[in-house]
Amino acid sequence: MDEGKMDENEWGYHGEGNKSLVVAHAQRCVVLRFLKFPPNRKKASEEVFQHLQNIVDFGKNVMKEFLGENYVHCGEVVQLPLDFVKQLCLKIQSERPESRCDKDLDTLSGYALCLPNLARLQTYHFAEHRPILCVEIKPKCGFIPSSSAVTHEMKHKVCRYCMHQHLKVATGKWKQISKYCPLDLYSGNKQRMYFALKSLLQEAQNNLKIFKNGELIYGCKDARSPAVDWRELAHHLKPFFYPSNGLASGPHCTRAVIRELVRVITRVLLSGSDKGRASALKLGPGPPGPCVCEASPFGRSLRHQGKSSLEHSGLPKDCLLYQTLQVQMLDLLDIEGLYPLYRRVERYLEEFPEQRKALQIDGPYDEAFYQKLLDLSTEDDGTVAFALTKVQQYRVAMTAKDCSIMIALSPCLQDASSDQRPVVPASRSRFAFSVSVLDLDLKPYESIPHQYRLDGKIASYYSKAVRAHDAAAAARLKESEDCTLVLRKV
């Protein structure tokens, strides 16, 4: 990329999160990722550069080691002309969701992260002419904590995602509770995975997006977004899965196309091509706690059938879901057990603030940082070193709990013998595919108190909601019992 000849008209808005905004090049297979800040809280250029460099180093030295180099793309920090950045900011402003405009794109430092466009098939520098379909999934946490530090009994039965749904709907973040449960997706059981993916398609929230040739065609921006239309999605997908157009239109066609999409995604998620070192963490073959969440509709149907649970995670050890789950399970103590250790580190830093750099809290994220993450002991010896190791493991685990998986699919050409990429079959076609991970920034050390408060709020609200639901059900039952049918002689 020639930074000296940058034209804002060659770049388009791609998407944004809470802390960064991404634009994509119209022809080349690259994106630029800019940091975002509140209007009155700009950072010095040196700080922005170091922040972006830390993201690159953490991806390269930690997440690439854990997940495998084929899945993790670290990118590089680039410096851009300030005039280009300002013009680009003006160009894309109208496309940004209103709910994200509380922060501005960094137009002062000129630094950005240049990355491959993961909505496209990897290994190609330029966008291909053949159609590309990309599914982005944010799977969230795939296990239930078994730590003895947990005080909310409900947390041993219901996963964090399902509990949080109730609070999000109550506060207006989303309109209705999703049937999706991460434990179903991480189960490795095809029936449960199918149910989980179909639930995501029904209530995407911000956990699923679908791109066609780099353009977003399906996904929910916020609670005000219009209801998702499966017929419109099926119209986009039909040429991929039924290229001969042999299906009649209507509900049957829509269901068949959605079913094909879910089957292909499931097969890709269970495929393995790059075994990272996460398997070496020796955290066990599956989650330590229950493998079925009580709040999952699939889990409830199991109980109605008299089955307490299915098998533990049957994920292949070289698939990305398994690797991701292993990294998530570095959260060995749960936030309730971790928070006192965080306070121990905080007290030490209050007394010796100059030690912050030596403790590597803000980097550098190098080989030494990675090696300390491999210490899985949970016996607290009362030292700051033990507390710090658990804090850093928790931050890495939280990163894995919030990452996104990008699955890019492209129909195989008639002569696909020269194509070296893996292939997945569908009923009427075959797809070359690539799988990547994004959103791998290390979670901030300073966010731990917020996570502790939020965890308590989520568990308390869910427990209260369950009690209210049970009380209402008991009242309805009592009313039905009090009802007496009187027959009079006519």
Side-chain angles (χ1 to χ4, degrees):
M1 186 167 63
D2 185 353
E3 287 95 3
K5 298 177 182 177
M6 301 294 289
D7 181 356
E8 69 275 4
N9 296 310
E10 294 178 348
W11 299 83
Y13 178 82
H14 189 69
E16 64 187 293
N18 185 41
K19 294 179 179 178
S20 58
L21 181 148
V22 177
V23 296
H25 195 275
Q27 301 299 325
R28 301 187 64 188
C29 214
V30 293
V31 299
L32 291 172
R33 177 183 166 189
F34 295 89
L35 295 181
K36 288 168 33 177
F37 301 109
N40 55 350
R41 285 176 58 192
K42 304 296 182 187
K43 288 195 176 183
S45 295
E46 298 77 25
E47 285 184 88
V48 173
F49 172 80
Q50 194 54 59
H51 186 124
L52 292 171
Q53 191 57 50
N54 277 346
I55 292 172
V56 173
D57 292 343
F58 178 70
K60 183 167 62 177
N61 297 320
V62 179
M63 298 314 289
K64 187 176 271 196
E65 288 292 317
F66 277 141
L67 301 178
E69 61 180 308
N70 290 344
Y71 297 131
V72 180
H73 306 272
C74 305
E76 62 176 335
V77 182
V78 293
Q79 190 166 22
L80 306 164
L82 291 180
D83 189 53
F84 161 76
V85 178
K86 286 170 185 169
Q87 293 302 317
L88 179 65
C89 184
L90 291 171
K91 176 180 180 284
I92 64 172
Q93 187 59 35
S94 61
E95 298 180 64
R96 298 179 62 194
E98 188 182 335
S99 60
R100 293 293 190 187
C101 290
D102 57 328
K103 291 180 181 176
D104 299 331
L105 181 149
D106 166 37
T107 57
L108 298 178
S109 74
Y111 288 111
L113 205 52
C114 183
L115 295 150
N117 187 343
L118 299 180
R120 303 263 182 191
L121 278 180
Q122 293 316 299
T123 72
Y124 282 85
H125 297 296
F126 286 86
E128 295 185 73
H129 294 298
R130 56 173 155 171
I132 306 282
L133 190 68
C134 179
V135 181
E136 177 183 344
I137 300 170
K138 192 180 278 288
K140 305 301 282 188
C141 180
F143 72 97
I144 289 177
S146 58
S147 170
S148 58
V150 170
T151 59
H152 296 274
E153 187 58 33
M154 197 62 72
K155 286 169 60 176
H156 285 312
K157 302 174 184 175
V158 179
C159 80
R160 163 71 172 253
Y161 180 87
C162 289
M163 284 196 289
H164 203 176
Q165 282 287 301
H166 287 259
L167 185 61
K168 285 182 175 179
V169 170
T171 54
K173 170 76 174 173
W174 303 114
K175 287 179 181 175
Q176 62 186 44
I177 289 168
S178 170
K179 292 179 182 177
Y180 170 69
C181 175
L183 268 69
D184 292 331
L185 186 67
Y186 282 98
S187 68
N189 176 284
K190 288 183 181 177
Q191 189 182 357
R192 288 176 69 186
M193 292 179 76
Y194 185 91
F195 182 86
L197 290 167
K198 201 168 177 185
S199 298
L200 272 182
L201 282 163
Q202 287 172 326
E203 192 67 32
Q205 297 185 2
N206 62 351
N207 295 96
L208 182 134
K209 292 175 185 172
I210 301 177
F211 301 87
K212 182 180 177 181
N213 300 328
E215 296 291 321
L216 181 69
I217 60 167
Y218 194 80
C220 189
K221 291 180 180 177
D222 53 40
R224 290 164 291 187
S225 295
V228 292
D229 187 345
W230 275 24
R231 284 173 302 176
E232 186 182 338
L233 176 62
H235 175 74
H236 281 293
L237 299 179
K238 196 174 175 184
F240 286 89
F241 295 101
Y242 293 94
S244 60
N245 207 23
L247 276 177
S249 59
H252 170 71
C253 168
T254 299
R255 285 195 297 270
V257 172
I258 297 296
R259 188 163 58 242
E260 280 294 288
L261 173 67
V262 171
R263 281 177 179 162
V264 167
I265 296 172
T266 302
R267 284 174 180 154
V268 170
L269 287 174
L270 290 173
S271 71
S273 63
D274 189 9
K275 195 170 179 179
R277 289 205 227 168
S279 310
L281 289 171
K282 294 185 174 56
L283 289 163
C291 60
V292 176
C293 168
E294 283 192 5
S296 162
F298 194 96
R300 286 199 293 270
S301 70
L302 276 179
R303 289 200 302 280
H304 289 151
Q305 297 167 34
K307 301 175 184 176
S308 58
S309 69
L310 287 175
E311 80 282 356
H312 275 294
S313 174
L315 292 168
K317 289 192 176 184
D318 57 350
C319 81
L320 181 58
L321 277 181
Y322 180 86
Q323 304 283 337
T324 306
L325 182 60
Q326 292 293 300
V327 181
Q328 290 181 358
M329 288 163 60
L330 280 172
D331 177 9
L332 300 164
L333 305 171
D334 188 72
I335 185 63
E336 291 189 68
L338 189 279
Y339 187 68
L341 300 179
Y342 163 81
R343 292 295 308 143
R344 184 188 301 171
V345 177
E346 275 293 272
R347 286 192 296 270
Y348 179 78
L349 288 174
E350 285 167 12
E351 193 174 349
F352 305 104
E354 72 282 358
Q355 288 295 304
R356 187 179 177 100
K357 188 173 181 181
L359 297 182
Q360 291 185 275
I361 286 171
D362 309 305
Y365 304 122
D366 52 16
E367 175 69 17
F369 181 91
Y370 167 75
Q371 288 297 330
K372 289 172 187 171
L373 298 172
L374 305 180
D375 179 5
L376 303 179
S377 60
T378 53
E379 288 295 321
D380 187 357
D381 58 4
T383 63
V384 172
F386 172 84
L388 182 67
T389 297
K390 298 306 125 184
V391 165
Q392 304 291 46
Q393 286 173 337
Y394 174 80
R395 293 172 67 194
V396 174
M398 291 300 289
T399 301
K401 290 178 187 181
D402 207 34
C403 71
S404 292
I405 295 173
M406 301 286 275
I407 299 168
L409 302 160
S410 183
C412 286
L413 302 174
Q414 290 299 319
D415 179 22
S417 57
S418 61
D419 201 333
Q420 298 300 307
R421 288 165 297 192
V423 172
V424 61
S427 294
R428 308 275 181 92
S429 55
R430 296 187 308 143
F431 295 92
F433 71 89
S434 62
V435 185
S436 311
V437 197
L438 75 165
D439 295 339
L440 288 176
D441 300 9
L442 180 61
K443 293 299 178 186
Y445 169 81
E446 287 76 16
S447 70
I448 292 175
H450 166 72
Q451 290 295 335
Y452 178 67
R453 290 191 297 271
L454 179 61
D455 183 79
K457 192 174 178 181
I458 290 169
S460 297
Y461 185 86
Y462 183 78
S463 298
K464 208 181 299 178
V466 167
R467 284 197 299 271
H469 178 270
D470 290 348
R476 285 195 299 271
L477 184 63
K478 190 173 188 305
E479 282 175 21
S480 65
E481 287 174 349
D482 289 347
C483 213
T484 306
L485 181 63
V486 179
L487 298 175
R488 296 187 183 278
K489 190 174 181 181
V490 178

